[in-house]
Amino acid sequence: MKISSFKEYSEIYGFEPCFVLWMQGCPIQCKGCWNTQTWDFKGGYEMDIESIFTLIKKQRDSKEWDIKALTILGGEPFFQYDELYHLVSLVKTLDIGIIVYSGYEKEELIQAQKDSIFNLIDVLIYGRYIESMRDTHLFLRGSTNQVIDFLSTRYNASQIRDGNYIEIDIDHFGGLDIVGYIETTDSLLTSK
């Protein structure tokens, strides 16, 4: 599976603590996307699905981290549909929540026959990012047209908590990793 990166623990990419996986390659390439490093099909790196599954299971079983879900973003996860399906099938055995993003509309996924995965995931967040509809205070979405579709009863709309969330991690070498729906520097300087 071609991935861009992963984060072993996050509290902002789901409804409960989750493992986050960014897949590599995006044919959609929405204008204004802030994950442009995930677009290049030759970028990122290869990681076998069983190794990714082992990492997720380790985090789920960890007393320190205790993740309760997996969130998969991109890039475009459905671009690598067979690999995505295989990984989700394995993760389903762990009885944790599964959230998958797509820049495609749900109908486009159905027409492309990439909808059999809907029975395995709890939430599908879909729709293209539209820069003119950007709202950094939406929960799990970047623009107001995007939809949070609850495909199981594990989560529901009452758990949506709009707001501007970011996470800042410091690695072992003192480097910073900042993720989330970040406002521009100008708006951060002028907001109260």
Side-chain angles (χ1 to χ4, degrees):
M1 174 179 272
K2 195 86 161 177
I3 69 167
S4 175
S5 63
F6 62 86
K7 185 172 172 59
E8 294 174 310
Y9 183 88
S10 174
E11 293 188 12
I12 66 168
Y13 280 102
F15 298 94
E16 51 194 337
C18 59
F19 187 104
V20 185
L21 178 68
W22 284 268
M23 294 178 69
Q24 186 70 32
C26 182
I28 301 172
Q29 301 183 0
C30 299
K31 181 180 183 239
C33 172
W34 55 78
N35 280 337
T36 57
Q37 74 280 4
T38 66
W39 288 3
D40 185 359
F41 300 107
K42 295 178 183 170
Y45 57 96
E46 291 285 337
M47 192 166 178
D48 68 86
I49 292 166
E50 287 71 23
S51 295
I52 298 168
F53 173 71
T54 300
L55 279 172
I56 295 165
K57 185 177 186 312
K58 180 181 164 194
Q59 290 302 103
R60 189 221 41 189
D61 296 341
S62 166
K63 297 208 184 309
E64 180 183 357
W65 297 107
D66 194 26
I67 61 149
K68 306 283 187 205
L70 165 66
T71 299
I72 303 173
L73 312 103
E76 173 52 53
F78 284 82
F79 176 72
Q80 298 181 68
Y81 185 69
D82 293 340
E83 294 85 349
L84 174 66
Y85 191 93
H86 183 192
L87 177 62
V88 166
S89 297
L90 291 173
V91 171
K92 188 71 175 173
T93 67
L94 299 177
D95 191 31
I96 62 174
I98 302 172
I99 299 170
V100 179
Y101 280 73
S102 179
Y104 291 109
E105 296 296 328
K106 188 175 182 183
E107 276 303 313
E108 291 176 299
L109 295 172
I110 292 168
Q111 288 172 3
Q113 298 182 340
K114 295 183 177 182
D115 58 331
S116 56
I117 200 169
F118 294 173
N119 295 322
L120 301 175
I121 64 177
D122 300 295
V123 177
L124 175 67
I125 300 171
Y126 66 85
R128 284 162 182 74
Y129 171 70
I130 298 176
E131 189 174 29
S132 64
M133 300 174 85
R134 178 180 177 152
D135 185 342
T136 58
H137 292 88
L138 293 173
F139 185 58
L140 301 177
R141 294 157 292 155
S143 58
T144 57
N145 63 297
Q146 293 173 319
V147 177
I148 299 176
D149 192 355
F150 298 95
L151 301 177
S152 78
T153 57
R154 183 181 291 266
Y155 306 113
N156 62 65
S158 71
Q159 294 170 289
I160 294 173
R161 53 187 200 277
D162 287 341
N164 186 264
Y165 300 99
I166 63 169
E167 285 179 337
I168 301 171
D169 295 322
I170 301 171
D171 67 24
H172 300 293
F173 305 103
L176 289 178
D177 181 29
I178 302 172
V179 296
Y181 298 97
I182 302 164
E183 294 188 43
T184 64
T185 306
D186 292 342
S187 61
L188 284 173
L189 293 173
T190 59
S191 65
K192 303 255 184 234

